Amino acid sequence: MFTMTLRKAGLAAATALALSLTATACGGGDSGSGGDKINIGIKFDQPGLGLKTQDGDYTGFDVDVAKYVAKELGHEEGDITWKQAPSNERENMIANGDVDFIVATYTINDERKERVSFAGPYFLAHQDLLVRADDSTVRSEDDLNTSELKLCSVTGSTSAQNVKNDFAPKANLINYGGYSECLTGLENKTVDALTTDDSILAGFAAQEEHQGKFKLAGLNLSDEPYGIGLKKGDTELQQKINDALKKMVDEGAWEEAAKKHFGPANYEYEAAPEITEKS
């Protein structure tokens, strides 16, 4: 009788343990349920868009968009692991499963859509130049197409491709790994201009340590629709993100985030674009 009681107690304990382990195993990995971890790619070096601060926080318009989308997918802010997404690594990060999605000034274009899918767009920027405040050499697009002008951009960015393939094939184009390196080069006069999207340039110009040093040239060189990059063919996640972006605009949260991050730079951003990336 005593032996049987011990056996029953042991069996009950084993069953409870098995159920506990099963519940724990079922709780992780599903990107749609609350409390699960999610990996999101952003830029770490773009003020106003995606910036990792000295105290380890993450701030910017892209960060706010990513947080809103994650919440709509069932994730609290504490569930997010932020991953640095350099321009030339974004497609690989998505294809390798390093991130669930990327919100990192990621222009939608046909070449990229061969490897990844996009949701959105959620923002429309335009390529421009950042020059030193006292610079008067760049007044129009025609001033760019000369080997005497040292243009800096970032490896893997559409801005670098546009310079090389479209409006300034003769320019002396210097590619660095990040925009902060280009900005340093502009400040110490090893380059003459930094070219990328006006939204990014405005963020740099608005930083307290840079105020008065730089200015935008005011050239509208291209249209750059920012999308949220995700694994190619994942139409279910694409639709969920599109729904989240629409809700963000309809609720006014999109406009609130845009004013917060672009207002200090006096950057005249466009209204939220129509969502075009659909399955």
Side-chain angles (χ1 to χ4, degrees):
M1 181 78 174
F2 182 69
T3 303
M4 185 177 292
T5 302
L6 285 176
R7 285 177 180 172
K8 287 182 178 180
L11 179 60
T15 302
L17 178 60
L19 288 172
S20 175
L21 290 172
T22 301
T24 302
C26 291
D30 181 359
S31 63
S33 58
D36 295 334
K37 298 300 181 183
I38 185 169
N39 297 320
I40 303 177
I42 58 171
K43 290 294 179 67
F44 281 14
D45 64 346
Q46 291 180 351
L49 288 151
L51 182 69
K52 183 178 181 179
T53 64
Q54 290 184 343
D55 55 6
D57 288 334
Y58 300 89
T59 181
F61 180 74
D62 281 357
V63 174
D64 283 359
V65 170
K67 288 178 182 177
Y68 190 98
V69 169
K71 188 173 183 180
E72 290 300 305
L73 294 176
H75 303 278
E76 298 302 322
E77 188 173 335
D79 300 332
I80 301 172
T81 298
W82 300 107
K83 301 279 189 176
Q84 186 172 16
S87 294
N88 61 339
E89 288 295 325
R90 288 176 294 201
E91 287 82 35
N92 289 335
M93 292 177 70
I94 293 171
N96 295 338
D98 298 329
V99 291
D100 293 280
F101 58 83
I102 286 180
V103 191
T105 57
Y106 202 0
T107 297
I108 300 169
N109 63 35
D110 291 339
E111 182 180 352
R112 288 171 176 165
K113 286 165 71 171
E114 292 179 3
R115 296 192 60 195
V116 302
S117 291
F118 286 97
Y122 64 91
F123 193 82
L124 181 61
H126 305 282
Q127 187 169 349
D128 197 358
L129 270 71
L130 190 71
V131 295
R132 289 180 289 276
D134 59 355
D135 185 280
S136 60
T137 59
V138 180
R139 295 176 300 277
S140 69
E141 185 176 332
D142 294 335
D143 296 328
L144 306 182
N145 198 24
T146 170
S147 60
E148 296 178 1
L149 186 70
K150 295 178 181 178
L151 281 179
C152 188
S153 196
V154 170
T155 304
S157 67
T158 54
S159 303
Q161 295 170 9
N162 290 342
V163 169
K164 186 176 180 181
N165 300 332
D166 298 328
F167 54 78
K170 295 180 181 178
N172 185 356
L173 181 64
I174 301 168
N175 285 317
Y176 286 141
Y179 293 106
S180 55
E181 296 172 65
C182 283
L183 199 66
T184 300
L186 183 59
E187 189 167 10
N188 63 29
K189 299 186 178 182
T190 56
V191 300
D192 299 310
L194 161 56
T195 182
T196 188
D197 305 342
D198 51 8
S199 56
I200 300 172
L201 299 176
F204 283 128
Q207 281 188 294
E208 185 175 352
E209 64 268 30
H210 296 145
Q211 288 178 5
K213 294 181 180 179
F214 308 113
K215 64 181 180 181
L216 273 71
L219 307 181
N220 191 337
L221 299 171
S222 67
D223 291 336
E224 305 295 336
Y226 293 165
I228 295 181
L230 57 138
K231 189 172 286 291
K232 187 170 177 61
D234 191 344
T235 56
E236 181 179 355
L237 181 58
Q238 180 189 54
Q239 185 60 54
K240 288 180 179 179
I241 294 177
N242 280 338
D243 290 343
L245 292 174
K246 185 177 185 303
K247 184 177 178 181
M248 187 179 187
V249 174
D250 292 343
E251 285 187 347
W254 185 97
E255 181 66 24
E256 183 180 339
K259 283 182 178 179
K260 173 184 175 183
H261 295 293
F262 298 134
N266 295 318
Y267 170 50
E268 297 181 3
Y269 55 88
E270 297 194 21
E274 179 183 354
I275 292 174
T276 59
E277 299 302 307
K278 302 174 183 178
S279 57

